[in-house]
Amino acid sequence: RKEVEQDPGPFNVPEGATVAFNCTYSNSASQSFFWYRQDCRKEPKLLMSVYSSGNEDGRFTAQLNRASQYISLLIRDSKLSDSATYLCAVNRENRGSTLGRLYFGRGTQLTVWP
Amino acid sequence: DAGVTQSPTHLIKTRGQQVTLRCSPKSGHDTVSWYQQALGQGPQFIFQYYEEEERQRGNFPDRFSGHQFPNYSSELNVNALLLGDSALYLCASSFFSRYSGNTIYFGEGSWLTVV
């Protein structure tokens, strides 16, 4: 079973729509959680960290459910500039070490059309 | 403050050749990790260097090797290139803080095409 499972989409939505991405992770020892945005042929860029209490950054809301090992990202009022691939990632540090490594989902492609 | 820098940005190699990719971490970061991202996939962890030693390794063959230098910069070497090695190679640097944990930054990547 993959460490991180993510629906690859694609999602095609009109401007102004609300879209939700979901991600599940298999290892309950995972410690921190992230959403990255990746534009075509560019490196992943951190969009936001994800906390159990939920966190919001403008039109973006991220949620973590540790019991269900589930991460979500909600984008409200979609803009054309939101078109990109969204990657969820979990970080797990080795026992006795502070060195973490990221496990990524395969990414969900979003296209926002006018 | 320069972020993570990688070189070269693009390169084309022939099957069977060897390639070396380079990475300079963000200032103040002491840990470097390498990831491979094939088209349509998420990045896959190759290995990680800290204090000039390989500390963790993903599921990659021994053809993939690396090095970290005293200034924390790193190299990724791939021998006997296969067509399937064509991918974006990402370097990530990080620094552990007891307050914020590991914060990881990616470089722009090196696009490798094997023909």
Side-chain angles (χ1 to χ4, degrees), chain A residues 44-108:
Chain A
K45 292 189 176 175
L46 181 64
L47 180 65
M48 55 200 308
S49 301
V50 190
Y51 306 110
S52 297
S53 54
N55 46 305
E56 189 173 309
D57 182 3
R59 298 180 293 107
F60 298 83
T61 301
Q63 200 81 38
L64 165 66
N65 184 321
R66 282 190 182 269
S68 302
Q69 296 181 196
Y70 174 93
I71 308 161
S72 65
L73 176 69
L74 185 74
I75 306 176
R76 291 181 301 278
D77 188 23
S78 299
K79 310 291 185 192
L80 296 178
S81 57
D82 294 334
S83 297
T85 297
Y86 291 83
L87 296 155
C88 68
V90 304
N91 185 18
R92 187 168 75 247
E93 292 154 10
N94 268 355
R95 186 177 301 177
S97 164
T98 58
L99 300 176
R101 62 174 277 188
L102 289 173
Y103 297 83
F104 283 90
R106 62 179 298 182
T108 300

